[in-house]
C-alpha cells in the first residue's frame, strides 16, 4: 500500500453527483418528496473513485474524465487534492470540467494525519472542498504504526473536530475502511468498539468498502442491520478468490464488480437500512493494467446484475 500512502500524503479528494431539484423542492412542504427524489436518483446512479484510474488521470485528466462519462458514470469521488487544487486545477475549474461532461462531484478522500491537524488547516481544507462542491470528505487510511487503541482514539477525537468544521460549510466527513480495522487489538475490534462507538454519527459517516470488509470476514448486510443508517457511502470492488479472513492489506485478487464472488445485489437491496446515498466503483489495481476496461466492466455489471 506504499503507493496509496504516498498518493495520500497531503490529502486525497473524491466527488460524485448531486441532483438539482429547483426552488420548488426546497419549500418545506416538499422537503420529504425532494429527499426521496434525491435518494432514488442517486441510488440508480454509479460513481467512480478516481483512484481507480489514477495513472490515466495524471497523464490526461480531461481525456480520462470524458472516457468515464461516456461509460455512463454520473458521479466521481476524487483522489487528487493538494495545495488547494484538485488534480492541479483550481476548485472552480475542476468542478466545471466535471459538470461539463454531465457528471457531479460528490466526495473526496481527504487524509488527516495521525499527529493531528490544526483548525486553520482543517478550515482551509473545508473551504477548498466547499468550493469544488463536494458533499463528502472521507478519511481513507491509517498508517500501520498508528493502528493501536491509543492512536485510534486520538485520531477519532481529531476527526470529530474536523467533522464539525466540515459540517459548518455543508460537508459530511466520513471514514473509509480497509480490513485492518477489524483485527482485534487489546481485546477490542477497533471498527466496532472504537470507530463506530466514538465517532459522532452526526459528524462522521462510514464509507463501507465491501471488498475489504468481506476479506476481514464481515457480512455487510449484518453490519447494516446492527448499525442502521451509519453507511451513507458504498465502495463496490470485487474479489476473485474466496479466502479465510485476513488483515494484511493484500489486494492481489481485486477484480471488476460482478466478475468475482461478492453478492452485490444482496448488499444493494439492503441500502435503505444502511442509509446509503451514493455508491462508487473502486479498483485499486487499475484493472490489472487495463483501467478503463476494468471500470467499464464494473458499471455494465452493476446496471445489468445489481440494478436489474
Amino acid at each position: 500500500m506504499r503507493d496509496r500512502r504516498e498518493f495520500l500524503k497531503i490529502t486525497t479528494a473524491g466527488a460524485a453527483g448531486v441532483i438539482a431539484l429547483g426552488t420548488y423542492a426546497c419549500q418545506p412542504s416538499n422537503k420529504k418528496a425532494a429527499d426521496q427524489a434525491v435518494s432514488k436518483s442517486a441510488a440508480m446512479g454509479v460513481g467512480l473513485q478516481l483512484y481507480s484510474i489514477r495513472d490515466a488521470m495524471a497523464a490526461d485528466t480531461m481525456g480520462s474524465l470524458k472516457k468515464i462519462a461516456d461509460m455512463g458514470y454520473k458521479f466521481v469521488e476524487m483522489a487528487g487534492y493538494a495545495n488547494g487544487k484538485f488534480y492541479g486545477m483550481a476548485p472552480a475549474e475542476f468542478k466545471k470540467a466535471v459538470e461539463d461532461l454531465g457528471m457531479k462531484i460528490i466526495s473526496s478522500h481527504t487524509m488527516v494525519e495521525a499527529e493531528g491537524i490544526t483548525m486553520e488547516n482543517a478550515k482551509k481544507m473545508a473551504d477548498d472542498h466547499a468550493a469544488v462542491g463536494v458533499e463528502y470528505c472521507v478519511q481513507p487510511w491509517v498508517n500501520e504504526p498508528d493502528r493501536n487503541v491509543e492512536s485510534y482514539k486520538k485520531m477519532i477525537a481529531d476527526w470529530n473536530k474536523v467533522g464539525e468544521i466540515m459540517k459548518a460549510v455543508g460537508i459530511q466527513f466520513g471514514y473509509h475502511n480497509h480490513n485492518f480495522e477489524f483485527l482485534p487489538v487489546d481485546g477490542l475490534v477497533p471498527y466496532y468498539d472504537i470507530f463506530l462507538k466514538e465517532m459522532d454519527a452526526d459528524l462522521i459517516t462510514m464509507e463501507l468498502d465491501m471488498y475489504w470488509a468481506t476479506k476481514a470476514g464481515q457480512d455487510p448486510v449484518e453490519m447494516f442491520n446492527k448499525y442502521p443508517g451509519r453507511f451513507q457511502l458504498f465502495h463496490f470492488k470485487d474479489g476473485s478468490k474466496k479466502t479465510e479472513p485476513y488483515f494484511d492489506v493484500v489486494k492481489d485478487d481485486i477484480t471488476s464488480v460482478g466478475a468475482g464472488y461478492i453478492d452485490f445485489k444482496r448488499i444493494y437491496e439492503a441500502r435503505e437500512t444502511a442509509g446509503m446515498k451514493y455508491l462508487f466503483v473502486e479498483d485499486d489495481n487499475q484493472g490489472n493494467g487495463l483501467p478503463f476496461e476494468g471500470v467499464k466492466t464494473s458499471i455494465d455489471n452493476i446496471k445489468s446484475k445489481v440494478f436489474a
Side-chain angles (χ1 to χ4, degrees):
M1 291 299 292
R2 186 175 181 274
D3 60 332
R4 186 170 182 90
R5 170 66 188 89
E6 291 300 316
F7 197 75
L8 295 168
K9 190 169 184 180
I10 300 177
T11 176
T12 4
V18 194
I19 310 300
L21 296 171
T23 56
Y24 174 80
C26 297
Q27 296 174 15
S29 61
N30 297 300
K31 185 178 187 304
K32 184 175 180 180
D35 288 345
Q36 290 174 342
V38 170
S39 176
K40 182 177 179 181
S41 298
M44 294 305 291
V46 183
L48 181 68
Q49 165 50 261
L50 295 178
Y51 188 73
S52 308
I53 55 167
R54 56 193 176 276
D55 291 347
M57 285 291 291
D60 180 8
T61 300
M62 294 307 302
S64 298
L65 290 173
K66 186 176 188 310
K67 284 183 180 180
I68 64 169
D70 289 345
M71 291 177 194
Y73 282 98
K74 299 300 182 185
F75 314 136
V76 296
E77 183 172 59
M78 299 179 293
Y81 168 68
N83 301 320
K85 294 185 177 181
F86 298 89
Y87 297 95
M89 302 165 69
E93 182 184 8
F94 188 74
K95 182 173 185 280
K96 184 177 186 302
V98 172
E99 292 184 351
D100 283 351
L101 291 168
M103 299 186 293
K104 290 285 186 179
I105 301 173
I106 293 300
S107 178
S108 167
H109 277 190
T110 305
M111 190 75 171
V112 177
E113 302 288 0
E115 59 267 24
I117 184 170
T118 67
M119 294 303 101
E120 181 181 357
N121 287 344
K123 184 65 166 62
K124 166 68 173 166
M125 184 188 301
D127 288 344
D128 289 341
H129 283 84
V132 83
V134 302
E135 291 185 29
Y136 297 88
C137 282
V138 179
Q139 173 78 16
W141 178 250
V142 174
N143 295 323
E144 189 169 359
D146 302 312
R147 296 171 196 170
N148 58 75
V149 172
E150 182 179 357
S151 290
Y152 281 145
K153 289 188 174 184
K154 180 186 180 301
M155 284 187 286
I156 290 168
D158 286 339
W159 297 341
N160 282 332
K161 294 176 184 176
V162 173
E164 289 181 351
I165 292 170
M166 293 286 181
K167 186 175 182 180
V169 295
I171 296 172
Q172 173 76 60
F173 201 46
Y175 183 81
H176 167 276
N177 66 284
H178 288 75
N179 53 350
F180 55 78
E181 298 91 340
F182 299 96
L183 175 67
V185 178
D186 296 339
L188 302 173
V189 177
Y191 194 86
Y192 298 118
D193 299 327
I194 305 175
F195 284 67
L196 282 166
K197 182 179 178 181
E198 301 201 10
M199 287 176 176
D200 186 325
D202 186 52
L203 300 175
I204 305 176
T205 192
M206 295 304 198
E207 178 172 60
L208 190 67
D209 188 299
M210 307 307 167
Y211 171 90
W212 291 117
T214 301
K215 288 300 185 183
Q218 307 302 305
D219 181 337
V221 175
E222 290 182 5
M223 294 171 71
F224 304 156
N225 290 333
K226 190 172 182 180
Y227 300 94
R230 295 292 298 271
F231 306 89
Q232 293 183 27
L233 305 176
F234 284 6
H235 259 201
F236 276 17
K237 75 168 64 118
D238 214 341
S240 61
K241 305 173 190 173
K242 283 190 175 181
T243 62
E244 292 298 314
Y246 68 83
F247 305 97
D248 294 326
V249 185
V250 177
K251 54 178 184 175
D252 58 348
D253 73 323
I254 290 174
T255 189
S256 296
V257 176
Y261 64 89
I262 297 176
D263 188 349
F264 289 102
K265 188 172 182 64
R266 173 175 173 264
I267 292 168
Y268 183 72
E269 287 175 347
R271 65 191 180 279
E272 291 186 9
T273 301
M276 188 215 86
K277 294 186 178 179
Y278 299 98
L279 72 85
F280 302 96
V281 167
E282 184 181 38
D283 184 342
D284 296 16
N285 289 347
Q286 299 191 89
N288 294 309
L290 299 170
F292 292 105
E293 291 85 345
V295 298
K296 177 69 163 60
T297 298
S298 287
I299 191 171
D300 288 348
N301 283 342
I302 289 171
K303 289 182 175 180
S304 64
K305 299 178 180 180
V306 178
F307 288 171

